[in-house]
Amino acid sequence: MAFWLLLGGAALLLSARTGTFPLTDPDESRFTRTTVEMQRASDLVVPRFEGRPRLVKPPLVHWIQMPLFSLFGVSGWTARIHAVLATLGSILLVAFVARRRFGEEGGFWAAAVMATTPLVVVMGRIGNLDALLSVHIAAVVVLDMVDVADEARGRGWAIGALLGLAFLAKGPVGVVVPLLVMLAGRTATRRELLPRRRTFLAALGGWSLVVLPWGLAFLHRVGVDTIVRLVREEMLDRYVSGTSHVEPPWFYLAVLGAGFFPWLTPLLLGLVRLIRSRRRPEASTALYAAAGLAAGLVLFSLSAGKLPNYILPLAPLIAVIVAWELGQELRDPQRKVTGPLLLCLTLGAWAIGLGLAGWRFLEGGPRAVALIGAAAYGAGMLVSLPGVAARRPRWVWGTAAVTAALFLFAGLWLLTPDVVRSRTAAYLVRSVPELHSPRPLVVVAMRVSSLTLYLDRVPERILAGELEERLERDDAPVFVLARSDLRSLPPEILGRLREIARDGKLVVLEERTVSPGP
């Protein structure tokens, strides 16, 4: 019963108000618009955005969204529900492997860690590819963790099919990451690195059955040269030189600190204890997860291009290690007090950090959330102190999980409106009649996918340096710019423009010679 209550709470945390707010730039609105255009063209092979092929991502998310859009229409809920369900699937998979290896209670705590990890919850509410990719990677790794017999009937086919779905979710990374995790985990636990020939052929067959029908049709439509270019640009160039989002190698250390709070302290302690007990048979599953986590972090850290959500597929491994760590404490709670004490102190440190940030550096909604978080984590520390004194680690862990869940719920409830408003054109579309007029619509120096989605219209795009030339054409255009770009325009250009409206980061302008609408 406790587990199903936990799962219900996770579902509420992930789904609350997901259908209330418009879709955001860049990913949500772009993926949704691509699905709409594929659906209108009755094309299941080549994704299209604004009338042009969009070849950088495979079509699995669009295949999932198409029937939802047909049945229920295009909305925030139908565009995001796949991420919610995929995240719940990842939680169930983690609970399954932890229950199988650590017992009933281990499964509960592993699920609790996943369900209260900020990165997991936030990405589980966004209608992009990451949660969908993660659930398939988790399924592959879980199959390898729980079934060490390579001869298991159907296992090779299942792993191959899941790798195929991961590939269709986000391309080659869906194959590279789980195979790397499996290789590292098998090495650390001294298992055979390579599967038996029959298992390998079955996995290859499962992958081929899932990927090749689409892959061959895609190859026929776009050609070999285009495939080679995509592999070079989207894999090699992005990984080696970083076409965007270039960050230093230590970037993911900061992501771990913020994205996996408050479970970073038990994770680090669990890793230390794993080193000491790595030869014990009962530590094999956690050791597998630790090796896979290390390999994944190295892979992502060596990449030049980095975003926090890239390491989401590693979250299940972290949950397994943290659940194992609690199990070590429960073996002898009278002696092993380090974990509960560190977790209690972590709650207090986070309370102080949030309080200082809210008091000195933040304003508006972020300040309110920081102060609420400071109060919540401060109360959590006080509540957990008796558990530390009484040697009751379950009390401390439960307090940390409840505190984290409450803070996440409050933060998402209060911050989502402001965050969404700053990252979508939906509110402008609703309130500015000029955007719906037959006049030319020109977007300057940026891409605003939500404008295309909510207007159902493809705008003209120009660079900031082309604005003066565009003004010379006598067709009374409506311009959309970012506020930051507006301030950098030359005075002579600004003098020829009149602001119509602004919302979030966007400003709508027209020439001063154009008569205002009614």
Side-chain angles (χ1 to χ4, degrees):
M1 176 62 72
F3 174 78
W4 296 111
L5 289 174
L6 169 66
L7 193 65
L12 178 63
L13 185 59
L14 289 166
S15 61
R17 304 184 80 183
T18 54
T20 305
F21 299 104
L23 297 162
T24 59
D25 296 315
D27 288 340
E28 285 190 326
S29 53
R30 185 168 56 216
F31 286 125
T32 301
R33 177 65 187 186
T34 301
T35 301
V36 169
E37 294 192 22
M38 289 181 70
Q39 192 170 34
R40 288 176 179 175
S42 300
D43 188 353
L44 296 176
V45 177
V46 179
R48 304 184 71 84
F49 178 71
E50 295 186 345
R52 298 182 178 182
R54 184 173 185 268
L55 309 178
V56 294
K57 294 294 185 290
L60 182 60
V61 68
H62 307 304
W63 292 348
I64 294 172
Q65 288 179 334
M66 279 183 185
L68 292 172
F69 291 177
S70 296
L71 290 172
F72 305 108
V74 180
S75 67
W77 180 81
T78 54
R80 294 174 177 133
I81 190 63
H82 72 273
V84 174
L85 296 177
T87 303
L88 290 174
S90 293
I91 293 173
L92 286 170
L93 286 167
V94 165
F96 169 73
V97 69
R99 182 177 181 273
R100 179 123 176 207
R101 293 305 190 192
F102 310 143
E104 193 82 31
E105 187 174 7
F108 173 85
W109 285 112
V113 170
M114 278 284 287
T116 55
T117 295
L119 184 65
V120 173
V121 173
V122 171
M123 298 313 302
R125 296 171 53 89
I126 297 176
N128 62 11
L129 306 177
D130 294 290
L132 192 61
L133 171 70
S134 296
V135 71
H136 292 106
I137 291 178
V140 172
V141 174
V142 164
L143 272 178
D144 196 54
M145 276 186 179
V146 301
D147 196 346
V148 298
D150 281 342
E151 303 87 355
R153 187 176 181 180
R155 178 173 171 273
W157 289 97
I159 286 180
L162 289 166
L163 287 171
L165 289 171
F167 180 89
L168 291 176
K170 206 173 181 180
V173 68
V175 177
V176 172
V177 171
L179 290 183
L180 179 64
V181 169
M182 291 167 65
L183 180 63
R186 284 173 170 241
T187 300
T189 53
R190 299 183 179 183
R191 288 171 54 185
E192 291 185 9
L193 295 185
L194 300 178
R196 298 180 185 273
R197 180 181 178 185
R198 183 176 62 182
T199 304
F200 172 78
L201 292 176
L204 183 61
W207 186 89
S208 300
L209 284 175
V210 171
V211 174
L212 286 186
W214 169 77
L216 293 175
F218 185 75
L219 177 64
H220 176 73
R221 292 274 297 275
V222 306
V224 175
D225 292 342
T226 301
I227 298 293
V228 172
R229 178 179 57 81
L230 284 173
V231 171
R232 184 180 67 250
E233 293 178 355
E234 294 301 315
M235 286 189 61
L236 301 179
D237 292 350
R238 185 181 292 268
Y239 190 85
V240 174
S241 58
T243 55
S244 60
H245 313 298
V246 177
E247 300 289 348
W250 55 85
F251 174 76
Y252 287 115
L253 296 179
V255 175
L256 285 173
F260 291 87
F261 185 86
W263 307 116
L264 184 61
T265 303
L267 171 66
L268 296 176
L269 185 59
L271 292 174
V272 171
R273 285 181 173 161
L274 267 174
I275 294 174
R276 297 175 179 174
S277 56
R278 61 186 180 278
R279 298 188 183 279
R280 287 165 42 192
E282 59 269 26
S284 61
T285 300
L287 187 61
Y288 183 113
L293 173 63
L297 285 174
V298 170
L299 174 71
F300 289 118
S301 296
L302 291 178
S303 172
K306 299 179 180 69
L307 283 174
N309 49 286
Y310 288 176
I311 64 169
L312 182 65
L314 305 181
L317 302 174
I318 292 175
V320 168
I321 299 168
V322 173
W324 178 85
E325 157 60 22
L326 176 61
Q328 304 314 296
E329 296 171 8
L330 293 176
R331 288 188 171 199
D332 190 0
Q334 296 304 312
R335 293 181 57 192
K336 295 183 177 179
V337 297
T338 305
L341 178 60
L342 287 177
L343 189 54
C344 177
L345 294 176
T346 300
L347 296 178
W350 197 249
I352 294 172
L354 286 173
L356 289 175
W359 178 46
R360 296 289 302 274
F361 305 110
L362 301 176
E363 297 179 354
R367 181 179 188 181
V369 171
L371 293 178
I372 290 173
Y377 282 115
M381 183 198 69
L382 295 176
V383 172
S384 65
L385 278 173
V388 175
R391 307 293 199 272
R392 296 174 63 186
R394 290 185 184 91
W395 178 267
V396 180
W397 279 56
T399 300
V402 171
T403 303
L406 292 175
F407 174 61
L408 282 171
F409 191 85
L412 292 169
W413 191 272
L414 294 174
L415 286 182
T416 299
D418 291 339
V419 171
V420 170
R421 193 161 207 114
S422 68
R423 300 184 64 181
T424 186
Y427 298 104
L428 277 176
V429 171
R430 295 173 185 173
S431 60
V432 180
E434 287 83 355
L435 293 175
H436 300 271
S437 71
R439 296 162 58 185
L441 177 63
V442 182
V443 176
V444 181
M446 62 179 175
R447 289 183 176 273
V448 189
S449 305
S450 57
L451 196 65
T452 303
L453 174 66
Y454 286 104
L455 277 178
D456 198 14
R457 175 184 180 187
V458 179
E460 177 186 348
R461 288 195 178 87
I462 63 172
L463 299 176
E466 301 170 336
L467 185 55
E468 184 175 10
E469 181 182 350
R470 186 62 183 82
L471 286 168
E472 299 303 322
R473 293 165 56 181
D474 190 19
D475 54 0
V478 177
F479 296 100
V480 178
L481 288 81
R483 289 191 187 189
S484 56
D485 292 335
L486 182 65
R487 292 191 293 267
S488 63
L489 291 178
E492 59 271 19
I493 300 296
L494 282 174
R496 298 179 61 180
L497 297 171
R498 175 177 60 223
E499 183 176 318
I500 299 174
R502 64 172 59 199
D503 195 284
K505 68 176 183 179
L506 301 176
V507 182
V508 183
L509 306 105
E510 65 180 1
E511 284 190 86
R512 290 187 179 274
T513 56
V514 177
S515 300

